[in-house]
Amino acid sequence: MSSSDDEVVLSKRARPAKNSYQESDEEDDTPLADISNGNLKEESGKKRKSSSKNSSKPKKQKVKKEKKEKKEKKEKHKKSKLKTEVKSEASESLQTPESSPIKKKAEKEELKSEKEEDDEDDDKFKWWEDDTYNDTNINGNGEKKWDTLEHNGVIFPPPYEPLPSYVKLYYDGKPVNLPLEAEEVAGFFAAMLDSDHTKNPVFQQNFFKDFLIVLKENGGSNVEITDFNRLDFTKMFDYFVKLREEKKSMSREDKKRIKEERDKFEEPFKTCLLNGRKEQVGNYKVEPPGLFRGRGAHPKTGRLKKRVLPEDITLNLGINVKIPEPPQGHKWGEIRHDNTVAWLAMWRENISDSFKYVKFAATSSIKGLSDFKKFETARNLKYHIDAIRNDYTKLLKDQLMQNRQMATATYLIDIFALRAGGEKGEDEADTVGCCSLRYEHVTLKPPNKVIFDFLGKDSIRFYQEVEVDKQVFKNLRIFKKSPKQPGDDLFDRITPSILNKQFQTYMKGLTAKVFRTYNASKTMQDQLDLIKNEGTVAEKVTKFNAANRTVAILCNHQRTVSKTHSTSIAKIQDRILELKWQKNRLKKIILLINPDEKSKNSKFFKGINELNKTQIKNVHKIVIERMIDQAQKKRLREKEKESLTGTCAFTDEDLKKKLESIKELQQEYAEELASGDPKIPKGASVDKLKNQIENLENRITNTQFQLQDKEDNSEVSLGTSKLNYIDPRLIAVFSKKFEVPIEKLFSKTLREKFNWAIESVDENWRF
DNA sequence: ATTTCGACTTAGGAACCACAGT
DNA sequence: ACTGTGGTTCCTAAGTCGAAAT
């Protein structure tokens, strides 16, 4: 969604401003003295004020420049900490995860597990069957993530390919001669001229600023460029479109050959050697340069994302392994041997000055194990959730403001699956989570209705009108009480880190995000429990998807409705109408053949006139148009064949005849519409017709079902919860118990990622 | 105590691909 | 055989959270 869209949404939003109803607090919601602190929080009210007007945000004006120096200092420290300590750390720590990892099959492994010698290399290593992964510290909870690591570095994007000299950027209609570096940047913009990014003024201006910088740095151009709006990228755009098309229309063989060559080249980068075993690497390609596509109203959207050079890259690998060759004429930025981390390479990115990592693939043992641990932690929450809910319910009335806020926030995180919501900077999109909710994001409707309306992660809107616990309602009212006003934090005495610290007192590893995982998986299990083991596989899959959907809705996983959505819905509706028309028409024919049928089974003929004349007329039109269209297309195809082979199965003459017969049919339909009675086709019999009708009825229900599903799914994204939140063992169990092939529930990559779950789980497993 | 950093998970959209329906 | 279409994979942005730095 473009930023201008966001603005629309924002302005549409209800601005609570002043709540009309009067506060009539009873004991429970008397405002609380802030015992906690002697109000060092006084200034919290000013925090974000900004929004638009009166800002003067003094807040975190930290001097950004000094960063560089710090950085350098730190590198030194890092170096020294390497391997020596690893050994010692390794042996201690390790409390082992709560419920012991999958033990099944452990016996069988006994013989070979000793030292886990042989089974490497055959790239089917099953960490979940390996005892050493249960209670040793290989990628354990301690520091050490690996013993040895060897890889071939990373793939860099191809160098810039200059435009042919006849393709230019224009300014005031004049061709501009650009230095290559600037041409590349202009090309980034031109190439995406058909996306809405390039229509966003923030994107345009950010791009333009960086473009001018690059232009100046590289000697400028023949034309003085000062105004973005006088630039014309269309010639460049057209050229890119042409390139795209050429690529698309390449012959099948050429495409295949190119793909094979590429695969061969990439092969060495796709895998690495982790503890002597071959493992997949995830993103082995360095991100190419381009224009930053921030989501939502990101202040930096459109900025130039610079090309990453080998000199920018830090490689991480084992101490005694071969260091991959850097590209010709280049050197690696740094070589590290840090086995406390799980990345192979890293670089600093210039938009927000943060790191990008080359990591293992989701199928790797390292990722698999940490995924497994994530779910075990979430699963462990079931033993504590009652106590936690009990406590926060009580603490909702606590005298200490901080405790009340903590309890209220926990309630929101637990019940509505909100994210923690850390502070964000001025140079990022304004999005919030629980702890960063502001006055204007929550509207209160007595007695206990709350409307949440804010932009969450990825600027996805969270809008819910809900009823909440009485005391939660009272608390929210207190948190909004004057002098608070729009722009102020609701939860001004807590942060995610305070919350998380509290959570840890209940359970090791418990943080705000664990609630999302727990509630998602718990919901999935409950939903799956409701499904009866009956019907076809397809039906069970549909029900499974419906369960998946409730989870996605819980987590607010959305997707923007596709541009073609409404037309494709309309198409399906048309098809349903057409099927109904056919069905009713056949019924009418039955009655024409044998009027007695009606008294025999009046129910059967009940909806026979469900379509009105306009609808029928419309169906007629669609049917006729489609026939004409098909005939003409057929002729076109044959024409081509004719020009090649000289023979032709469908001549212009044939087409003409065909069109005439369609005309006749059209005429018939018109008469039928007037009289209400169709013509009886030759050879029709009541039995045959009934058969056809049954067929149609099936198709109608199927299509209607399909339509419903599509509608329901149009703005819900099921994938995210399946990938990140639903314990895959739940799905594996469902597959087994309900005899639904796992292929119907997990795509190939998901099956690989969750192989540990699929292979280890037994039918009675519960989350 | 608070802020920043570093490493990792979570997220939606674009690009790509396989396949059903004509 | 062709072509939309929907599902899958790729891409990388945007979160979370513990630890280090101040």
Side-chain angles (χ1 to χ4, degrees):
Chain A
M1 76 171 60
S2 78
S3 74
S4 52
D5 284 346
D6 290 345
E7 275 152 31
V8 174
V9 171
L10 276 167
S11 60
K12 251 198 292 207
R13 226 171 268 159
R15 301 250 167 197
K18 48 218 109 181
N19 28 7
S20 43
Y21 58 92
Q22 215 29 57
E23 316 251 338
S24 64
D25 303 346
E26 325 133 21
E27 32 94 34
D28 277 339
D29 43 355
T30 44
L32 310 165
D34 188 37
I35 315 164
S36 65
N37 57 10
N39 74 1
L40 30 127
K41 269 311 191 150
E42 216 39 51
E43 36 75 47
S44 61
K46 313 178 190 138
K47 258 189 178 165
R48 187 127 197 168
K49 205 145 284 198
S50 63
S51 283
S52 52
K53 26 191 142 194
N54 65 347
S55 64
S56 84
K57 48 208 62 205
K59 259 268 179 175
K60 38 174 84 178
Q61 294 295 38
K62 286 307 154 191
V63 202
K64 197 111 183 202
K65 284 290 149 155
E66 300 170 12
K67 261 193 193 157
K68 286 257 161 87
E69 307 182 345
K70 282 190 243 166
K71 230 182 288 169
E72 295 174 352
K73 242 192 269 172
K74 130 162 318 164
E75 318 266 62
K76 291 198 183 133
H77 293 221
K78 198 90 195 193
K79 286 258 165 81
S80 54
K81 117 182 202 182
L82 297 186
K83 58 219 134 180
T84 42
E85 77 186 31
V86 164
K87 279 270 157 84
S88 54
E89 297 268 359
S91 31
E92 57 186 303
S93 71
L94 280 313
Q95 32 29 270
T96 85
E98 335 291 337
S99 44
S100 84
I102 313 141
K103 31 188 103 160
K104 282 198 48 132
K105 300 195 182 173
E107 339 77 82
K108 166 180 149 197
E109 295 299 296
E110 210 101 59
L111 24 154
K112 71 157 112 174
S113 68
E114 271 306 312
K115 268 310 181 176
E116 136 249 315
E117 224 59 305
D118 46 20
D119 62 342
E120 73 264 270
D121 227 5
D122 75 48
D123 71 51
K124 293 242 179 63
F125 173 60
K126 300 183 176 178
W127 57 266
W128 58 95
E129 293 179 358
D130 190 324
D131 277 355
T132 54
Y133 275 67
N134 291 352
D135 43 34
T136 81
N137 32 47
I138 296 185
N139 184 23
N141 323 283
E143 290 282 288
K144 194 167 88 170
K145 294 261 170 54
W146 45 266
D147 286 316
T148 66
L149 174 61
E150 186 169 2
H151 62 84
N152 294 312
V154 294
I155 295 180
F156 289 92
Y160 177 60
E161 286 201 25
L163 299 174
S165 58
Y166 60 88
V167 179
K168 295 273 186 228
L169 174 67
Y170 290 79
Y171 190 75
D172 282 341
K174 291 188 293 263
V176 184
N177 295 322
L178 291 171
L180 248 40
E181 291 82 355
E183 181 187 276
E184 182 180 23
V185 180
F188 292 150
F189 192 90
M192 52 195 294
L193 218 51
D194 52 350
S195 82
D196 355 306
H197 285 293
T198 52
K199 285 153 196 98
N200 173 355
V202 178
F203 190 95
Q204 293 174 352
Q205 287 313 311
N206 279 329
F207 152 76
F208 190 54
K209 232 160 97 189
D210 284 352
F211 169 69
L212 288 184
I213 291 170
V214 174
L215 181 58
K216 197 168 162 201
E217 278 174 1
N218 292 281
S221 69
N222 56 329
V223 184
E224 202 203 348
I225 298 175
T226 55
D227 180 4
F228 170 82
N229 291 305
R230 286 145 81 179
L231 287 170
D232 176 5
F233 295 90
T234 52
K235 290 290 186 307
M236 295 175 84
F237 175 70
D238 293 344
Y239 174 71
F240 291 130
V241 170
K242 202 185 89 191
L243 283 190
R244 241 184 274 167
E245 265 155 19
E246 273 169 14
K247 209 169 130 196
K248 216 166 63 188
S249 65
M250 257 183 338
S251 77
R252 195 166 292 249
E253 295 77 40
D254 284 355
K255 275 187 197 160
K256 205 172 136 201
R257 187 175 41 77
I258 287 171
K259 184 170 187 306
E260 271 165 13
E261 278 166 16
R262 194 183 48 214
D263 285 348
K264 195 170 157 228
F265 170 76
E266 293 183 357
E267 192 58 39
F269 302 94
K270 287 182 169 167
T271 58
C272 62
L273 241 40
L274 172 66
N275 299 336
R277 281 183 294 262
K278 203 188 228 188
E279 299 256 18
Q280 302 297 122
V281 179
N283 53 332
Y284 48 88
K285 285 177 178 166
V286 170
E287 292 174 17
L291 302 181
F292 174 68
R293 295 144 117 102
R295 298 177 192 164
H298 194 121
K300 292 189 174 178
T301 193
R303 292 271 306 270
L304 173 63
K305 203 170 88 166
K306 292 197 182 131
R307 185 176 288 273
V308 176
L309 301 175
E311 285 74 10
D312 303 320
I313 298 224
T314 299
L315 294 184
N316 189 35
L317 21 66
I319 186 82
N320 285 324
V321 304
K322 179 176 120 286
I323 293 168
E325 281 299 310
Q328 268 292 294
H330 287 279
K331 296 187 296 203
W332 297 116
E334 187 192 334
I335 304 294
R336 235 182 250 183
H337 310 283
D338 183 354
N339 73 353
T340 67
V341 296
W343 50 265
L344 315 190
M346 169 202 101
W347 71 90
R348 198 178 275 276
E349 149 267 3
N350 71 297
I351 298 294
S352 64
D353 199 38
S354 59
F355 291 140
K356 299 275 192 173
Y357 299 93
V358 172
K359 302 159 293 181
F360 292 95
T363 49
S364 66
S365 59
I366 246 180
K367 290 281 196 189
L369 183 58
S370 81
D371 218 26
F372 166 72
K373 283 182 181 162
K374 172 184 81 182
F375 287 113
E376 283 303 284
T377 303
R379 201 165 161 237
N380 200 227
L381 180 49
K382 71 180 163 199
Y383 301 116
H384 305 276
I385 191 72
D386 290 343
I388 292 171
R389 286 176 177 160
N390 251 319
D391 286 1
Y392 74 59
T393 307
K394 279 186 210 139
L395 284 168
L396 286 172
K397 304 181 179 181
D398 198 82
Q399 282 301 301
L400 194 59
M401 181 60 115
Q402 190 184 39
N403 284 345
R404 264 201 208 203
Q405 293 199 350
M406 204 128 71
T408 310
T410 308
Y411 175 92
L412 298 184
I413 286 168
D414 183 27
I415 305 298
F416 302 116
L418 298 194
R419 298 188 183 83
E423 276 289 324
K424 293 192 72 187
E426 302 297 332
D427 52 359
E428 299 172 276
D430 177 15
T431 63
V432 299
C434 183
C435 292
S436 47
L437 279 172
R438 300 197 300 271
Y439 185 98
E440 64 270 30
H441 296 137
V442 169
T443 308
L444 303 173
K445 290 255 166 71
N448 66 338
K449 197 162 168 201
V450 178
I451 302 172
F452 292 99
D453 193 350
F454 59 89
L455 299 183
K457 183 179 181 182
D458 292 310
S459 294
I460 296 297
R461 187 179 183 192
F462 184 102
Y463 181 91
Q464 275 185 35
E465 302 184 16
V466 293
E467 303 204 334
V468 301
D469 176 282
K470 265 249 143 61
Q471 191 58 39
V472 168
F473 187 85
K474 287 179 182 176
N475 287 352
L476 289 173
R477 188 155 64 186
I478 293 170
F479 304 158
K480 286 191 75 172
K481 208 162 197 164
S482 170
K484 284 212 194 154
Q485 51 169 326
D488 292 344
D489 281 345
L490 238 41
F491 297 99
D492 52 12
R493 278 165 170 64
I494 57 171
T495 64
S497 126
I498 293 173
L499 258 190
N500 286 335
K501 214 161 283 166
Q502 186 60 32
F503 291 151
Q504 314 272 338
T505 66
Y506 288 95
M507 186 191 116
K508 182 164 183 301
L510 183 58
T511 62
K513 80 195 265 286
V514 176
F515 283 85
R516 269 168 81 81
T517 314
Y518 167 77
N519 280 315
S521 287
K522 179 70 167 54
T523 302
M524 188 66 177
Q525 178 163 87
D526 293 346
Q527 291 294 310
L528 290 181
D529 284 347
L530 296 176
I531 299 177
K532 294 209 192 73
N533 193 357
E534 60 188 25
T536 66
V537 166
E539 280 165 341
K540 289 189 250 188
V541 169
T542 308
K543 287 177 184 163
F544 172 90
N545 286 336
N548 192 166
R549 184 155 59 230
T550 60
V551 176
I553 289 168
L554 172 72
C555 295
N556 199 40
H557 290 144
Q558 303 184 10
R559 55 177 186 168
T560 52
V561 296
S562 76
K563 280 182 186 130
T564 56
H565 176 70
S566 64
T567 48
S568 73
I569 288 290
K571 236 185 221 168
I572 298 177
Q573 282 167 338
D574 280 348
R575 193 155 73 226
I576 291 173
L577 279 186
E578 186 182 333
L579 291 170
K580 282 184 175 169
W581 165 75
Q582 283 183 19
K583 178 189 74 176
N584 293 328
R585 191 166 178 273
L586 296 183
K587 287 184 180 176
K588 283 178 186 164
I589 294 172
I590 290 180
L591 290 184
L592 290 177
I593 295 174
N594 180 5
D596 290 348
E597 288 285 336
K598 184 149 189 177
S599 50
K600 274 199 273 174
N601 187 356
S602 62
K603 210 166 139 206
F604 182 76
F605 296 97
K606 193 132 174 268
I608 199 162
N609 289 315
E610 61 185 320
L611 305 186
N612 62 36
K613 283 209 169 180
T614 331
Q615 287 174 314
I616 294 174
K617 202 169 163 186
N618 200 31
V619 170
H620 288 172
K621 196 171 143 224
I622 290 171
V623 171
I624 296 292
E625 273 171 9
R626 188 173 54 219
M627 291 174 96
I628 294 175
D629 194 55
Q630 276 172 352
Q632 282 169 342
K633 276 211 183 116
K634 184 171 179 187
R635 174 59 196 143
L636 278 181
R637 274 202 306 272
E638 292 295 328
K639 216 170 198 164
E640 223 163 87
K641 216 192 267 176
E642 195 174 12
S643 65
L644 289 174
T645 65
T647 62
C648 171
F650 192 70
T651 63
D652 277 329
E653 195 55 29
D654 292 333
L655 176 64
K656 208 169 160 191
K657 269 189 232 154
K658 182 81 193 172
L659 289 178
E660 266 161 29
S661 79
I662 293 174
K663 260 265 161 55
E664 277 168 35
L665 186 66
Q666 190 175 13
Q667 188 56 37
E668 260 173 48
Y669 282 166
E671 284 161 19
E672 185 179 321
L673 190 66
S675 71
D677 285 339
K679 220 169 79 177
I680 300 174
K682 281 183 264 182
S685 77
V686 171
D687 280 354
K688 267 198 229 161
L689 288 169
K690 281 190 171 169
N691 240 325
Q692 289 179 42
I693 287 169
E694 197 186 327
N695 226 316
L696 283 167
E697 265 163 357
N698 284 337
R699 284 179 66 187
I700 290 169
T701 36
N702 275 341
T703 318
Q704 273 170 336
F705 209 58
Q706 197 190 327
L707 177 71
Q708 186 61 41
D709 217 45
K710 195 171 175 137
E711 216 39 312
D712 291 349
N713 262 344
S714 66
E715 44 191 14
V716 182
S717 164
L718 303 188
T720 306
S721 48
K722 211 188 244 188
L723 188 65
N724 299 301
Y725 286 101
I726 296 169
D727 193 314
R729 289 168 290 186
L730 283 171
I731 299 181
V733 169
F734 178 82
S735 163
K736 281 188 187 167
K737 253 175 127 166
F738 287 69
E739 292 159 319
V740 175
I742 195 71
E743 291 77 18
K744 303 268 185 205
L745 310 176
F746 279 143
S747 69
K748 181 158 102 40
T749 38
L750 251 32
R751 288 197 299 277
E752 281 166 7
K753 167 172 173 166
F754 293 134
N755 199 227
W756 60 269
I758 296 170
E759 292 208 358
S760 72
V761 85
D762 81 275
E763 223 171 273
N764 299 312
W765 186 89
R766 304 280 296 168
F767 176 75

